[in-house]
Amino acid sequence: MKPLFALALLLPLLGGCSSSDGYMKNAECRQQVYANSEVGARIARDNAGHFSPLGEESLDDLKQRVYVDCLRARGLAPKGGVEPVKRY
């Protein structure tokens, strides 16, 4: 019974480890993503029901690229890491 109780205590702590916590934390760069003309045009096109051509990066990939470019321009991008997988 004790191991089950210990597991129940750990579950809320593990919930804090989700990957979405670190997604676009910088407010200035997050605003810059949605102010970006390329992102705005893509959102408008996708909402109109148009399909993306083969080989075009997804909207999420585009947002992430604009966000990381903003972080790099401000010198805030994390060091190292790997390039995100491109889904073509």
Side-chain angles (χ1 to χ4, degrees):
M1 186 66 90
K2 287 184 181 180
L4 186 59
F5 180 71
L7 181 62
L9 289 176
L10 286 176
L11 286 177
L13 296 175
L14 293 176
C17 297
S18 68
S19 62
S20 64
D21 287 343
Y23 184 69
M24 292 197 193
K25 276 189 170 181
N26 186 291
E28 294 171 357
C29 287
R30 187 175 55 240
Q31 288 175 349
Q32 189 169 341
V33 166
Y34 290 103
N36 183 287
S37 61
E38 190 177 355
V39 172
R42 176 72 64 82
I43 290 171
R45 190 189 73 199
D46 288 355
N47 285 339
H50 297 283
F51 292 102
S52 298
L54 275 175
E56 185 177 56
E57 65 184 336
S58 71
L59 178 60
D60 289 334
D61 291 341
L62 175 62
K63 287 180 185 177
Q64 183 65 22
R65 180 175 52 84
V66 172
Y67 181 74
V68 170
D69 289 346
C70 172
L71 288 178
R72 285 185 184 138
R74 297 171 190 276
L76 300 173
K79 305 291 183 220
V82 295
E83 190 71 22
V85 175
K86 296 186 184 202
R87 296 173 223 130
Y88 293 112

